Amino acid sequence: MEYRFDRLFIGGEWVTPIDGGARPSIDPATGKPWGDVAYGGAQDVDRAVAAAREAFEGPWRKMAPWERAALIRKFADLYATQVDALARIESQDNGRAIRESRGDIGLHSQYYHWFASLADKLGGRTIPMDDSVHAFTTRSPVGVVGTITPWNVPLMAAAWKLGPALAAGCTLVLKPAEQTPASSLALAKLFEEAGFPPGVVNVVPGDGPVAGAHLVSHPDVDKIAFTGEGATAKTILKTGADTLKRFSFELGGKAPHILFADCDVENALNAATGSAWALCGQSCALGSRILVERPIYEQVVEGFRRNAARVRVGNPLDQATHMGPQAHQQQLDKTLSYVAIGKEEGAELVSGGARLDGDGYFVAPTVFAGVAPEMRIAQEEIFGPVAAIIPFDGEEEAVAIANGTQYGLAAGLWTGDVGRAHRVANRIEAGIVWVNTYRYIRWSTPYGGVKSSGWGRENGIEALDSYLETKTTVISTTGKFADPFAN
């Protein structure tokens, strides 16, 4: 299949931007442009929203749920044939190691199939009252959804939003992050090939303060689904407040990965080191805080040092590469600034901590030991491959440290004691907790955060809730209403 990136996808057509243009997309492995990509402005967002509204009021909303499901399945089957091409586009655009991109994108068709399976099962319920009335609920789509996706996993974030929105009967305007727009335009090609009605899915790359802000404030957009930073989510709330639209947010994290002394240390190390440096550290579920019980602390620190030396950092399009570059210059600068902060705070730099020689935004896998829970490198989301190892004594301290940040997205723990596993998992403030595994995420497992990590859930049946309105209908079975003035 041939993909192009020099046009926007609006109303089922590939169109030239009105008030946007074209700009080079930077390959983070080289720091140089690899191709020109279209981006839109406010007027382009306007016509995309208009197309989405027309499709919602027309063919998409009127289509039988099983017909919508069939189209989503057709799209999913087509998606499965394009995994290699999509993975290459995304890895060239954001620097993710191709082995990770393929593994992730290879699962996306299952997400779309999962949500297709729910499209014709979104019934309401009967509410028991008394014989005088029949009360029941029905569910309907919220309308036009603006989806704003991040630069670290553009296609995964799109699947998590488009899947439930389309199953619910919504139409969409997708605005990918300005740093990584190419894979979302490739996604539009697949919707076109699958035969979706014009306007059901529209793709308009653009700058956040221009295209993104206009999408958020648009009065004809009924909901915003956003993945990204908490500071941006606050801006989105303020920008969209006048229209009282719905919002769902999947935001940052500072996940604790707890290793108790009775755990299987080698397997725990495999998970902890793998999750600390996955996506070059650019994951909201990154296990960046490694909490280690003191009897095994030195063993774990040494294991991190050993595994850091085994990470093959290099060309993300090389199948042998474990870790590619940071996605852009600003993120590289941010990561290196936190390395300096860690040193200033008195943490011990065990490994890494420097930019690697050559072109591109490469940084070495980095390990800090002797980290105190209150240090900035243990409190703030870095979004780079920086692991902070924190010692603890006993369950109470482990839980206190784990819950001692503003975030609550994900957490992990390793123990051989099943009772402890339940006790600790129950007390951790997080939307998902993994026990004796890590980063196990599937279409049927709800995902989302508490505290500053987000609003709502993605994946699972719960994901559809924010794309549906519930209406209650009460029908009298007698048709009689007492005269209020009889006495």
Side-chain angles (χ1 to χ4, degrees), residues 234-257:
K234 293 175 184 178
T235 300
I236 286 173
L237 279 173
K238 294 172 184 176
T239 303
D242 287 343
T243 57
L244 287 177
K245 53 174 56 72
R246 285 192 180 195
F247 298 94
S248 58
F249 296 125
E250 199 268 276
L251 307 176
K254 195 69 179 176
H257 202 160

Side-chain angles (χ1 to χ4, degrees), residues 56 61 122 138-143 168 170 467-471:
F56 177 70
R61 190 175 193 177
L122 303 177
T138 51
R139 307 181 84 191
S140 58
V142 298
C170 298
Y467 298 97
L468 292 166
E469 298 282 10
T470 298
K471 177 189 292 184

Side-chain angles (χ1 to χ4, degrees), residues 110 126 203 399:
Q110 294 302 322
T126 300
V203 180
V399 171

